[in-house]
């Protein structure tokens, strides 16, 4: 039997090796995704016809009701399965929900202000990594990855088309907040906890989880910046002990993209959300230094409240 030094661990979770936990989470996620896709197929076929379903899965939006069908498929085949996986695992399989979901609010609220600052001040660093990523050249046999990302971007742009402020608010809640909650529950709540138990090293767990988080999105040309965001989110949770610090950071990242896209579409700003050359070398260096300092402050405040090994 593996002895894991967690005070609130019960006997059932002690008897399950982290490797088995990890495989079970992957299996639950796969089953949930398949069931969710089947449900989406049934709903879309019943409402709009099977041809609409096949069209949006092929990134063809030139069919009636393509956009509402796309939203239905996103909710049933992706969002809800990603949420159901950690909740089912934490409440039914282990079951130690607080340990694997970390949904408590027992942390100094000044940390939320620091997360806010870190997310905005880290923008140059994220852009720097995006620029590196964009310069990577794929070999010919991997060109399908570029085509896949182009199709995914086409669908995302369709979902981010906002004619009114009410559509912007809807996207802000769905793409900004709900997506942040479900992904953080799965990755920083569940998977990061499992990998920390497995490796006995929180830093290794954070980086491995960040790599898996980025790979899960299947977007090669956004891999490095998304991985770095995963690292930021991982440390937010590791030091605060609460998933809501990373949810807040994730929401700021997603929500900012939604708001900027809306403002750009309505010609309120001239900077496109796709621009990757807003900052210069001095901006990258200054951003890096300030982010390191803010992380030190964040860690110092968080660990005074909740001492952990880091």
């Amino acid at each position: 039997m593996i002895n894991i030094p967690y005070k609130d661990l019960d006997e059932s979770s002690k008897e399950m090796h982290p490797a088995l936990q990890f495989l079970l989470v992957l299996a639950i996620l796969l089953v949930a995704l398949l069931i969710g896709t089947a449900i989406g197929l049934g709903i879309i076929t019943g409402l709009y016809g099977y041809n609409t379903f096949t069209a949006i899965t092929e990134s063809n939006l030139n069919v009636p009701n393509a956009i509402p069908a796309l939203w239905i498929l996103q909710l049933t085949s992706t969002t809800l399965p990603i949420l159901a996986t950690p909740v089912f695992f934490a409440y039914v399989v282990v079951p130690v929900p607080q340990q694997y979901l970390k949904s408590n609010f027992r942390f100094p609220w000044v940390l939320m202000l620091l997360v806010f600052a870190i997310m905005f001040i880290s923008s140059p660093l994220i852009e720097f990594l995006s620029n590196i990523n964009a310069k990577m050249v794929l070999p010919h046999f991997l060109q399908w990855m570029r085509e896949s990302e182009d199709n995914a971007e086409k669908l995302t742009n369709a979902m981010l088309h906002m004619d009114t402020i009410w559509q912007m608010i809807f996207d802000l809640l769905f793409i900004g907040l709900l997506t942040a909650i479900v992904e953080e529950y799965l990755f920083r709540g569940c998977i990061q906890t499992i990998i920390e138990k497995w490796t006995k090293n929180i830093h290794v767990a954070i980086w491995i989880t960040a790599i898996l988080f980025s790979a899960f999105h299947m977007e090669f040309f956004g891999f490095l910046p998304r991985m770095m965001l995963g690292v930021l989110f991982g440390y937010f949770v590791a030091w605060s002990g609460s998933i809501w610090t990373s949810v807040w950071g994730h929401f700021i990242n997603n929500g900012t993209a939604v708001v900027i896209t809306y403002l750009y579409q309505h010609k309120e700003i001239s900077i496109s959300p796709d621009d990757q050359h807003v900052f210069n070398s001095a901006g990258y260096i200054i951003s890096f230094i300030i982010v390191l300092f803010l992380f030190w402050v964040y860690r110092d405040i968080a660990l005074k409240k909740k001492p952990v090994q880091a």
Side-chain angles (χ1 to χ4, degrees), residues 10 36 56 107 123 207 242 266 301:
D10 64 2
I56 61 175
F107 60 89
S123 295
W207 282 88
S242 172
H266 291 264
I301 294 174

Side-chain angles (χ1 to χ4, degrees), residues 230-244:
V231 170
L232 297 181
F233 301 155
Y235 280 108
F236 291 158
V237 174
W239 290 333
S240 71
S242 172
I243 199 71
W244 298 110

Side-chain angles (χ1 to χ4, degrees), residues 124 127-128 279-287:
E127 180 191 271
F128 177 72
F279 303 98
N280 54 28
S281 298
Y284 300 146
I285 295 172
I286 293 172
S287 171

Side-chain angles (χ1 to χ4, degrees), residues 259-279:
V259 172
I260 290 176
T261 299
Y262 173 79
L263 294 175
Y264 180 75
Q265 289 175 358
H266 291 264
K267 304 186 185 305
E268 298 292 335
I269 59 174
S270 59
I271 299 177
S272 169
D274 297 324
D275 286 346
Q276 293 297 335
H277 302 285
V278 179
F279 303 98

